[in-house]
């Protein structure tokens, strides 16, 4: 049985999970779900969690959970490629997405890869209660959501809960050897993420040759190093999310990309950085300016207070004139928090 929280996606035989959100109450759509053929209704978050816990106990799959301040999705996608298995899709990595992913896992799977996100203390513990991970992977410890955790030490303590709860073994970003084959993505951070995934696969009995072969046509979902050709230029859309560590890594990877003309860097605000947000923004912009690219452009309130070539309050303001500025052969990086909507520039 398949599970969904969107009544519009219900097909005969599926289960509709009715949850109360900020803008809508799923219970108001139960009739629509039944009309679409729903065979089962689950009401409320607690009921969803209990259903996922119960189904998890029936699975024979090894559950591999991935968390970290940056690199979760990339590592998760490498794991799915290496192991050829089911796992988290999109951004389904929270207290709603994770149980839904578990419930939608086929009984035949040998492995299940789950991404675990956290923005507040205690969330990793909750997700572990549901997932009961066999293997834990920590990709990084940085400043993401530091507004809610106050210190890096608190962030590391939160994410390390996964490593403590892993029943079989765990792997950390700072204790992993480099994989013995080339990474299909640019940047040292991508190599580390791939190596983390390979270390898990290796311990599970997968050979380097097998893992390398499984990377044919590998790509990341959504706005994660997505290359788009527009107006004769090449845009690298890495705007799914951003924190100081991931932005610096993206800038380093961007400079490794071949470019026949000019380089533009468009940086949007990084959110949930707390009282030191402006200092972190200024440090990132200083680093971007030091790279010697043609233009560094800022988008947003925090970015407007940083040294750069140009700044705009939102993407709409930039889009009005950017078509005039860009030329054939230019290479443009888009990096910022998801809610800054930088991808609209190429929509």
């Amino acid at each position: 049985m398949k599970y969904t929280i969107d009544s519009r996606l219900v097909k005969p035989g599926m289960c509709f999970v009715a949850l109360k959100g900020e803008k809508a109450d799923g219970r108001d759509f139960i009739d629509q779900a039944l009309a679409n053929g729903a065979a089962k209704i689950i009401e409320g978050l607690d009921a969803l969690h209990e259903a996922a816990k119960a189904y998890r106990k029936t699975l024979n799959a090894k559950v591999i959970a991935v968390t970290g301040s940056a690199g979760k999705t990339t590592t998760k996608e490498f794991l799915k490629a290496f192991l050829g298995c089911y796992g988290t899709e999109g951004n389904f990595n929270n207290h709603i997405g994770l149980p839904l992913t578990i419930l939608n896992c086929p009984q035949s799977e040998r492995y299940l890869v789950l991404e675990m996100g956290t923005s507040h203390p205690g969330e990793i513990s909750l997700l572990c209660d549901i997932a009961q991970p066999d293997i834990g992977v920590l990709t990084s410890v940085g400043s993401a959501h530091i507004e809610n955790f106050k210190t890096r030490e608190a962030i590391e303590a939160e994410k390390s809960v996964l490593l403590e709860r892993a029943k079989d073994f765990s792997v950390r970003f700072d204790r992993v050897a480099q994989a013995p084959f080339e990474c299909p993505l640019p940047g040292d951070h991508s190599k580390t993420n791939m190596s983390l995934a390979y270390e898990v696969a290796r311990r599970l009995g997968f050979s380097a040759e097998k893992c390398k072969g499984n990377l044919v046509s590998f790509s990341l979902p959504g706005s994660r190093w997505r290359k788009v050709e527009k107006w004769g230029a090449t845009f690298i859309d890495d705007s799914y999310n951003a924190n100081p560590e991931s932005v610096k890594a993206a800038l380093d990877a961007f400079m490794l990309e071949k470019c026949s003309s000019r380089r533009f860097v468009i940086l949007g605000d990084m959110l949930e950085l707390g009282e030191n947000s402006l200092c972190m923004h200024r440090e990132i912009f200083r680093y971007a300016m030091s790279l010697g690219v043609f233009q560094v452009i800022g988008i947003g309130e925090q970015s407007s207070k940083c040294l750069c070539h140009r700044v705009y309050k939102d993407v709409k303001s930039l889009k009005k004139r950017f078509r005039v500025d860009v030329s054939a052969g230019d290479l443009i990086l888009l990096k910022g928090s998801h809610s800054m909507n930088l991808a609209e520039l190429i929509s």
Side-chain angles (χ1 to χ4, degrees):
M1 177 179 288
K2 291 293 184 180
Y3 292 71
T4 182
I5 57 173
D6 189 337
S7 61
R8 297 168 298 181
L9 300 180
V10 171
K11 295 180 180 178
M14 291 180 64
C15 174
F16 173 59
V17 182
L19 300 178
K20 185 175 182 180
E22 294 180 1
K23 298 180 179 179
D25 189 335
R27 292 172 297 184
D28 296 335
F29 300 94
I30 290 177
D31 288 343
Q32 179 185 352
L34 291 172
N36 287 343
K40 182 179 178 181
I41 303 293
I42 289 179
E43 293 188 48
L45 190 60
D46 289 343
L48 171 63
H49 289 179
E50 291 305 314
K53 288 178 183 178
Y55 186 67
R56 166 67 180 95
K57 293 177 181 178
T58 72
L59 292 175
N60 292 319
K62 285 280 187 184
V63 173
I64 305 161
V66 182
T67 193
S69 297
K72 293 186 295 296
T73 297
T74 302
T75 302
K76 177 254 299 183
E77 291 298 324
F78 274 125
L79 276 165
K80 288 168 63 176
F82 289 156
L83 305 180
C85 66
Y86 180 75
T88 302
E89 296 180 358
N91 62 344
F92 270 38
N93 63 8
N94 63 6
H95 60 295
I96 297 174
L98 181 137
L100 284 172
T101 301
I102 292 173
L103 288 166
N104 283 321
C105 178
Q107 283 281 347
S108 59
E109 288 289 339
R110 292 180 60 200
Y111 305 103
L112 169 60
V113 182
L114 298 174
E115 183 177 328
M116 289 186 175
T118 176
S119 57
H120 293 85
E123 291 180 337
I124 293 297
S125 180
L126 170 65
L127 297 179
C128 285
D129 287 343
I130 300 170
Q132 295 295 308
D134 296 296
I135 300 164
V137 181
L138 177 59
T139 64
S140 63
V141 176
S143 305
H145 306 295
I146 200 169
E147 181 178 26
N148 302 320
F149 289 96
K150 307 306 180 186
T151 67
R152 278 176 177 253
E153 290 74 18
I155 293 174
E156 181 163 13
E158 169 73 10
K159 297 184 181 301
S160 294
V161 168
L162 170 60
L163 307 186
E164 297 164 4
R165 297 284 296 273
K167 289 178 282 187
D168 290 356
F169 66 86
S170 59
V171 182
R172 287 179 59 103
F173 66 97
D174 52 355
R175 300 173 192 171
V176 64
Q178 186 168 313
F181 43 83
E182 290 187 9
C183 181
L185 301 175
D188 290 340
H189 64 299
S190 296
K191 293 178 183 177
T192 298
N193 294 331
M194 184 187 72
S195 297
L196 280 165
Y198 172 68
E199 177 62 18
V200 173
R202 185 187 69 79
R203 293 199 198 184
L204 291 174
F206 287 73
S207 68
E209 183 179 4
K210 174 68 172 177
C211 290
K212 181 181 178 181
N214 287 350
L215 290 182
V216 176
S217 70
F218 177 84
S219 63
L220 293 175
S223 296
R224 297 178 177 90
W225 215 255
R226 177 175 65 108
K227 293 185 179 181
V228 177
E229 301 294 327
K230 192 178 180 76
W231 306 322
T234 300
F235 288 78
I236 299 178
D237 179 14
D238 199 39
S239 63
Y240 180 77
N241 217 334
N243 58 61
E245 293 76 23
S246 69
V247 175
K248 186 177 183 299
L251 288 168
D252 289 341
F254 177 67
M255 297 306 293
L256 296 176
E257 293 281 348
K258 293 182 180 179
C259 177
S260 61
S261 186
R262 305 172 301 174
R263 295 178 189 265
F264 290 80
V265 170
I266 301 176
L267 300 177
D269 282 1
M270 303 174 289
L271 306 183
E272 297 186 5
L273 295 182
E275 60 184 15
N276 293 319
S277 177
L278 183 56
C279 291
M280 294 180 185
H281 277 84
R282 284 176 171 167
E283 182 178 344
I284 283 297
F285 272 86
R286 277 196 295 269
Y287 185 73
M289 292 290 286
S290 74
L291 298 175
V293 300
F294 179 70
Q295 281 195 2
V296 176
I297 300 172
I299 304 289
E301 180 181 356
Q302 294 288 290
S303 299
S304 69
K305 301 172 184 176
C306 302
L307 177 64
C308 59
H309 295 101
R310 286 188 285 157
V311 67
Y312 297 86
K313 65 177 182 178
D314 53 35
V315 177
K316 185 178 180 180
S317 301
L318 169 62
K319 194 171 185 179
K320 290 180 179 178
R321 64 160 295 170
F322 197 64
R323 171 65 186 90
V324 179
D325 297 335
V326 71
S327 300
D330 288 346
L331 187 65
I332 303 104
L333 173 66
L334 306 179
K335 186 67 175 175
S337 286
H338 187 66
S339 59
M340 297 305 296
N341 300 315
L342 296 189
E344 287 186 9
L345 187 63
I346 51 177
S347 63

